[in-house]
Amino acid sequence: TLALALALTSTYCDKAGGRESAGRMVSAVRATRAIRQGSACLICYLQPLELTRAARAERLEQFDFGCERERSHAQLEPRGAVSQLADSLHLSTAHALQEAMMGEGLEASIHAARSALAPLRRACGARHLALAAAHRQLAAELRLKLGGTAAGGGGGEIGRPAGADAATLLLLECSVELWSTQRLLLGDAHPECAQTLHDIGTALQAMLTHAPQLLFRNRPEWGTAARAAHAERTALRLHARIAALYEGHVSL
């Protein structure tokens, strides 16, 4: 029997969308981590998964779960003044990021996006769910802005927009931070991690092709072409394995 998982760290299953099979609507449910015999199989009604406590409460009211109590996430979302400040900044940061990425030109958009993230980062620290949600939002916006010219490994310098290197570097930074939080929150093999890993791999690929020195200066952990290429291959390999796992081909 599937139960609602209010505490995200207890979510053990991922439910795929419904589809037709022999005239019936069916959904695929797959385990995202090991489940002990006799334990409940839990799914989560919250999307996206990186939500602050206030945002979760608002979403749960839509499912008539408003009276339920959530377990605290001491590592990811501590209670008290920090959490309250992050909640207050969560929506304002989301709006600011949306406006930043609607601007004309990538260079101005990137500067505005970094400025929008700064107060939230100072307020809550790297692993807070509010910052993870902002990183997810910004990564999605950057993918749309870049299209196939940078993060998708587009061809050549011709037609490459001004600011594409800085945008790709920001996509990489957001994705690395989001991946670190997702691993704590969901585990290594959750399907939510697949897009993040793909962004890391393709952004590294684009930076090595178009702006390796910019990459090496800003990400000293990948200060050589060999280290950066190894990280690129690792991220894309993990992405492929997660994708294959949830298509039923391999297990991790």
Side-chain angles (χ1 to χ4, degrees), residues 74-161:
Q75 187 175 16
L76 294 167
E77 190 181 0
R79 293 184 182 275
V82 171
S83 184
Q84 293 173 7
L85 181 57
D87 283 337
S88 68
L89 286 171
H90 179 70
L91 287 179
S92 62
T93 301
H95 291 314
L97 288 175
Q98 188 175 32
E99 289 183 2
M101 300 310 293
M102 290 174 62
E104 295 292 333
L106 271 175
E107 292 175 328
S109 292
I110 297 315
H111 177 75
R114 288 190 180 278
S115 297
L117 281 177
L120 187 59
R121 183 176 285 118
R122 288 195 299 268
C124 63
R127 295 285 78 80
H128 198 283
L129 290 172
L131 187 58
H135 284 149
R136 175 194 277 270
Q137 176 189 347
L138 184 52
E141 297 278 1
L142 287 166
R143 284 196 302 273
L144 289 175
K145 279 276 189 179
L146 289 165
T149 62
E157 295 290 338
I158 299 175
R160 186 171 170 78

Side-chain angles (χ1 to χ4, degrees), residues 3-250:
L4 169 71
L6 295 183
L8 295 179
T9 49
S10 297
T11 305
Y12 283 89
C13 296
D14 178 65
K15 181 181 177 183
R19 59 182 175 82
E20 290 284 349
S21 177
R24 297 179 301 169
M25 287 294 293
V26 297
S27 295
V29 177
R30 292 185 171 87
T32 61
R33 63 186 72 185
I35 303 173
R36 293 178 181 175
Q37 184 175 0
S39 298
C41 296
L42 305 174
I43 61 172
C44 185
Y45 278 50
L46 301 173
Q47 288 293 334
L49 296 180
E50 301 87 13
L51 292 170
T52 64
R53 183 177 292 108
R56 289 197 300 272
E58 182 179 343
R59 297 289 177 88
L60 288 171
E61 286 180 0
Q62 300 173 11
F63 297 99
D64 294 326
F65 294 127
C67 62
E68 299 285 351
R69 295 177 60 87
E70 294 185 80
R71 285 179 245 170
S72 63
H73 301 258
Q75 187 175 16
L76 294 167
E77 190 181 0
R79 293 184 182 275
V82 171
S83 184
Q84 293 173 7
L85 181 57
D87 283 337
S88 68
L89 286 171
H90 179 70
L91 287 179
S92 62
T93 301
H95 291 314
L97 288 175
Q98 188 175 32
E99 289 183 2
M101 300 310 293
M102 290 174 62
E104 295 292 333
L106 271 175
E107 292 175 328
S109 292
I110 297 315
H111 177 75
R114 288 190 180 278
S115 297
L117 281 177
L120 187 59
R121 183 176 285 118
R122 288 195 299 268
C124 63
R127 295 285 78 80
H128 198 283
L129 290 172
L131 187 58
H135 284 149
R136 175 194 277 270
Q137 176 189 347
L138 184 52
E141 297 278 1
L142 287 166
R143 284 196 302 273
L144 289 175
K145 279 276 189 179
L146 289 165
T149 62
E157 295 290 338
I158 299 175
R160 186 171 170 78
D165 294 336
T168 306
L169 182 64
L170 182 56
L171 174 61
L172 178 62
E173 292 172 0
C174 289
S175 300
V176 168
E177 290 299 323
L178 180 57
W179 165 237
S180 297
T181 302
Q182 284 178 328
R183 290 179 69 185
L184 290 172
L185 182 69
L186 305 170
D188 293 347
H190 196 280
E192 292 286 332
C193 300
Q195 179 65 65
T196 307
L197 287 163
H198 188 265
D199 287 342
I200 293 172
T202 54
L204 278 167
Q205 186 180 74
M207 293 302 294
L208 282 171
T209 301
H210 300 291
Q213 295 308 315
L214 180 63
L215 171 66
F216 301 154
R217 285 198 306 272
N218 286 274
R219 305 298 304 198
E221 69 271 33
W222 301 318
T224 67
R227 289 207 296 267
H230 176 72
E232 172 204 331
R233 290 191 299 270
T234 300
L236 292 177
R237 183 173 66 248
L238 286 172
H239 162 263
R241 293 182 70 187
I242 292 173
L245 173 66
Y246 289 95
E247 290 169 0
H249 298 318
V250 301

